[in-house]
Amino acid sequence: MTPSAVLFSGGLDSAVLLAHERVEHAPVWPIHVRAGLAWEDAEARAIAGLLAEAPFAGRVEPAHTLALDMRDVYPASHWAVRGTPPAYDTPDEDVYLEGRNLVLVAKAAVLCARLGVERLALGPLAGNPFPDATPEFFQTLARTVSLGLARPFHIATPLSTMHKEDVIKLGASLGVPLERTMSCMNPASSGAHCGQCSKCRERQDGFRLAGVVDKTAYVTRAFHHEGHEEHKD
């Protein structure tokens, strides 16, 4: 098999991606890049918990944590630094972080070169509206990295034709403990999802559409009925 590295945040999509890569590639290295954003401690805890149990324990390489602080670019007032994400029903465009995939891939690619890994997998899904998640962007960036590091390099996006509900079904089939993943932009200190940000909405909608029981702990959980929402604490 071809070795692979995975940009791994401990989120639902990246956990399913890691499980998929573990089946299709070996060995597999999870890479967590910390950029100084509000939810990264919760991500780190989720990563530690996920890698300690099936289907990952003893089957993937130890995680590498890289630091690439963006707080000298994003001001202290930025929602992602403060941990005050846009509201539950806001569109994806409201949580756009300029250049996020560019900076994540740049540092991860240098680590891949040192590990002798020529493949880096990311988890964008179908319908991703951001300019740094297009096939053209990834192909061009991979070519740039190959030139800059003087070695072959490939960026893979195996989930790019899938929607959230498809990813959830795949994760369930691969035995991923989905409730242990962290997809929230304002998680509670207890580790629970806030239930009020757009990432929590995507997560809840995905489980509902997949027909899979959502065992995630939420501080507040929103249920949609007849076109309106009701919040229950």
Side-chain angles (χ1 to χ4, degrees), residues 150-233:
R151 60 186 303 121
F153 185 73
H154 174 62
I155 298 174
T157 56
L159 308 182
S160 62
T161 61
M162 304 175 72
H163 294 279
K164 184 72 72 174
E165 60 268 28
D166 305 314
V167 174
I168 288 171
K169 290 176 183 178
L170 176 60
S173 72
L174 293 172
V176 177
L178 299 173
E179 69 278 4
R180 299 291 299 273
T181 63
M182 170 53 63
S183 304
C184 181
M185 294 180 287
N186 187 25
S189 58
S190 65
H193 286 59
C194 74
Q196 300 180 53
C197 69
S198 60
K199 292 299 181 184
C200 285
R201 184 203 73 233
E202 291 174 3
R203 185 183 182 98
Q204 293 170 5
D205 287 349
F207 275 101
R208 177 174 53 82
L209 291 171
V212 175
V213 175
D214 185 1
K215 300 178 182 178
T216 306
Y218 297 99
V219 175
T220 299
R221 186 159 186 155
F223 297 86
H224 287 265
H225 298 288
E226 303 297 332
H228 69 278
E229 68 179 50
E230 172 189 350
H231 290 284
K232 296 187 178 181
D233 294 334

Side-chain angles (χ1 to χ4, degrees), residues 104-187:
L104 295 180
V105 170
K107 191 154 191 182
V110 179
L111 175 61
C112 286
R114 295 192 60 84
L115 293 172
V117 177
E118 298 177 358
R119 173 189 171 91
L120 177 66
L122 285 73
L125 307 188
N128 188 308
F130 303 140
D132 60 352
T134 65
E136 181 182 8
F137 170 79
F138 288 128
Q139 292 163 10
T140 303
L141 183 57
R143 175 63 176 157
T144 300
V145 170
S146 296
L147 290 171
L149 296 175
R151 60 186 303 121
F153 185 73
H154 174 62
I155 298 174
T157 56
L159 308 182
S160 62
T161 61
M162 304 175 72
H163 294 279
K164 184 72 72 174
E165 60 268 28
D166 305 314
V167 174
I168 288 171
K169 290 176 183 178
L170 176 60
S173 72
L174 293 172
V176 177
L178 299 173
E179 69 278 4
R180 299 291 299 273
T181 63
M182 170 53 63
S183 304
C184 181
M185 294 180 287
N186 187 25

